[in-house]
Amino acid sequence: MSRKNDKKANKQPNMVYEQETSDNLSETLHEGTIIKGYSGFYYVAFDGELYECSLRGKNRQKKVKFLPGDKVLFRIGKGVDDDTRGGAIEELVPRKNELVRPPVANLDQLVILSALADPAPDLRLIDRLTVFAQWNEVTPVLCFNKADLVTKEAQEKLAEIYAPTGFPVVFCSTVTGEGIEEVKAMLHGKFSVLAGNSGVGKSSLMNAISDRWQLATGQVSEKLGRGRHTTRHVELFQLDQNTLLADTPGFSTLTLPEDLKREELSRLFPEFLARLSDCRFATCMHKNEPDCAVKEALTNGEVAQSRYDNYLAFLEEVIQQERSF
């Protein structure tokens, strides 16, 4: 799904070239955000407007890959007709991060959306996605939908599992409207990506957040117990000028990053990292070592059993990946 990108985004001011430009393009370079790419064109948001932009020749020759969320410097020009705003992309602004699946750049937070029922929450997928998010220096946010289908006690049990992590957790229902305002506040002023299994209600949640977005939704298959894919590509949606949200194709299986090492994995479990200094060994894997503070916390109920079990499964996966290289 992802790869680490150490380049940090450098804010570049608009600039003006002195020479004349061709193709009826303005001289001024503006910085905009790519909302989507389609049939060789890129749709760039700038100052409350959307511009259909082509690539300048140098970008095509270098085979530069542009992603939704990319900051680009572009020139405004005439569109394909009187009602269309056009332009040309000149330069890609360095990214602060990048995900391969879904292909997006410069995101602030990964909103991991799960259903509380129909389908049941997949805790291993949730924990896997939190590992991906932190590995890419992105904040994981846990959002549990379909709160109308379960009791408050069931919600509190999930909240207890993730309270030691410090991850933001919100419960909502697109049917009753519970928690929707809290979700909006969580998204405000950030670029967020919705991720999770099919059928958990990503498109339904987006429709509840804004009535301007009427996305197709799908029912959960009774035979397979999972949802039908209703989102086919990545597209960014604007709640306001500073708030972007991406709905992504559903997925259920992911591999861990190839460059993730065994000694780094536990640092992506915040409740483990907080106890590492209390372990006898600084390189403790929290598995077979004596005097392990994480295993002691597990015994005392301070670390959730599901989190520890998933960590051990991921640790074995990382070790197998190391052996294959």
Side-chain angles (χ1 to χ4, degrees), residues 18-233:
E18 296 297 331
Q19 70 267 26
E20 292 292 328
T21 58
S22 59
D23 303 325
N24 295 318
L25 296 172
S26 68
E27 290 186 351
T28 304
L29 281 173
H30 301 282
E31 182 177 311
T33 302
I34 293 180
I35 299 299
K36 65 177 178 178
Y38 183 73
S39 297
F41 289 92
Y42 295 88
Y43 296 84
V44 178
F46 171 72
D47 198 23
E49 303 289 349
L50 198 62
Y51 297 84
E52 184 182 66
C53 295
S54 59
L55 296 180
R56 299 293 276 177
K58 62 181 180 181
N59 291 315
R60 290 195 297 268
Q61 292 170 4
K62 293 178 181 178
K63 297 182 179 179
V64 179
K65 187 176 182 180
F66 293 86
L67 302 175
D70 268 331
K71 303 292 186 182
V72 295
L73 301 181
F74 77 107
R75 300 181 190 277
I76 295 175
K78 184 176 175 57
V80 295
D81 54 51
D82 293 339
D83 297 325
T84 305
R85 297 174 177 84
I89 294 174
E90 293 281 354
E91 187 177 339
L92 175 67
V93 175
R95 296 165 178 151
K96 70 177 182 180
N97 56 42
E98 173 187 351
L99 297 184
V100 175
R101 182 184 178 188
V104 293
N106 300 317
L107 69 158
D108 297 308
Q109 56 188 17
L110 185 69
V111 180
I112 302 167
L113 185 63
S114 303
L116 289 163
D118 191 30
D122 185 341
L123 299 186
R124 183 153 297 181
L125 177 61
I126 292 171
D127 291 345
R128 187 178 290 266
L129 286 169
T130 65
V131 168
F132 271 111
Q134 294 173 100
W135 183 248
N136 286 277
E137 300 178 358
V138 175
T139 300
V141 175
L142 309 186
C143 183
F144 292 96
N145 188 25
K146 305 186 183 182
D148 55 295
L149 299 183
V150 301
T151 63
K152 289 295 182 182
E153 289 75 15
Q155 296 178 38
E156 290 171 0
K157 185 176 180 180
L158 273 172
E160 289 173 0
I161 291 175
Y162 290 100
T165 69
F167 301 147
V169 178
V170 60
F171 296 91
C172 67
S173 169
T174 59
V175 174
T176 66
E178 174 188 346
I180 298 301
E181 291 303 317
E182 188 177 351
V183 173
K184 289 181 181 180
M186 178 183 67
L187 299 175
H188 181 71
K190 296 181 175 65
F191 171 27
S192 307
V193 169
L194 279 175
N197 267 333
S198 297
V200 298
K202 294 191 296 296
S203 297
S204 296
L205 179 61
M206 292 187 68
N207 289 341
I209 290 170
S210 174
D211 55 13
R212 293 184 293 116
W213 305 333
Q214 292 303 312
L215 307 181
T217 59
Q219 300 298 319
V220 173
S221 166
E222 293 182 3
K223 181 178 180 181
L224 299 178
R226 61 176 183 264
R228 302 182 181 92
H229 294 270
T230 56
T231 305
R232 300 297 181 181
H233 62 278

